[in-house]
Amino acid sequence: IAKLCSATRCWRGFSCYSAKKCNEVVKSAIAARKMRRARHPVAGVKSVFQGASLLSLDANGRLSVPTRHRDALTQQAGGQLTITKHPDGCLMVFPRPAWEEFRERIAKLPMSAQWWKRIFLGNAMDVDMDATGRVLISPELRQAAGITKDAMLLGMGEHFELWDKATYDAQEAQAMQGEMPDVFKDFSF
């Protein structure tokens, strides 16, 4: 068996000198392929994010992405996210491919929307999920959204909203007290 790979190319197609060496090469190639797949998103894969999660920021301003979203974010965006301000006082968290589409739409706005371009694009920060699924929220963005410790992460389709828990609870209660918008008049629940 040790002489199995004595030819220039073994039965697996690798140039090697022994069965032991051949197995090491195969294991190395498989590990490298898994790393490439983890780093590079799968083309055309889009997830729809939904649901609410109560999260707590740690002392360094990191939050742990819920496990139900981690695999999709890794597959869709290689764990790369972009966070920016939302006009309602929360933060928007995008997988990088969804952010790039949003960024292109914002960049095409006319000069009359220059301040909105500054709000969305000028405050955007690229972040990466670490090996344990944590994401660092910059102090500037935490301050802008009033997030101190407890936060709500809401799946909003192609992106997330990140709210300070107390602010979200107050906004939701206010919305529930008011009348439903006209677009819901003919909507059946």
Side-chain angles (χ1 to χ4, degrees):
I1 294 177
K3 295 286 184 184
L4 180 67
C5 295
S6 62
T8 308
R9 287 208 165 287
C10 72
W11 61 277
R12 290 184 175 154
F14 294 106
S15 297
C16 55
Y17 302 101
S18 70
K20 182 179 178 186
K21 178 68 174 170
C22 191
N23 285 332
E24 289 173 11
V25 170
V26 170
K27 287 178 185 176
S28 176
I30 290 169
R33 187 175 337 142
K34 286 181 181 177
M35 291 295 288
R36 280 194 304 274
R37 285 182 182 162
R39 279 194 306 254
H40 300 292
V42 178
V45 174
K46 284 194 175 182
S47 297
V48 176
F49 303 108
Q50 62 186 24
S53 300
L54 176 61
L55 307 172
S56 292
L57 273 71
D58 66 13
N60 296 324
R62 295 175 300 197
L63 63 84
S64 190
V65 175
T67 54
R68 69 175 185 255
H69 299 306
R70 283 184 203 165
D71 288 341
L73 289 170
T74 300
Q75 186 177 26
Q76 182 178 340
Q80 298 177 328
L81 307 173
T82 301
I83 305 172
T84 192
K85 288 182 181 179
H86 189 289
D88 289 340
C90 64
L91 301 176
M92 293 186 291
V93 181
F94 289 89
R96 192 69 45 82
W99 166 253
E100 289 168 357
E101 292 173 13
F102 182 79
R103 180 183 62 203
E104 286 178 26
R105 290 189 357 239
I106 295 296
K108 291 178 184 176
L109 292 174
M111 285 300 290
S112 60
Q114 193 64 26
W115 270 105
W116 288 107
K117 287 183 182 182
R118 288 182 183 108
I119 291 168
F120 292 121
L121 303 180
N123 290 289
M125 294 198 176
D126 294 336
V127 297
D128 292 324
M129 278 194 312
D130 67 13
T132 60
R134 294 178 304 182
V135 175
L136 177 66
I137 310 297
S138 73
E140 298 86 1
L141 289 175
R142 288 195 315 262
Q143 182 180 4
I147 299 171
T148 53
K149 179 74 175 160
D150 293 328
M152 288 293 295
L153 184 72
L154 303 172
M156 299 297 292
E158 290 189 357
H159 71 280
F160 298 93
E161 288 183 356
L162 184 63
W163 288 84
D164 172 68
K165 170 103 171 77
T167 304
Y168 177 77
D169 289 344
Q171 294 278 355
E172 183 182 61
Q174 183 180 358
M176 297 292 278
Q177 294 298 321
E179 288 190 32
M180 289 189 118
D182 289 338
V183 296
F184 286 113
K185 296 289 185 202
D186 296 325
F187 193 82
S188 177
F189 289 98

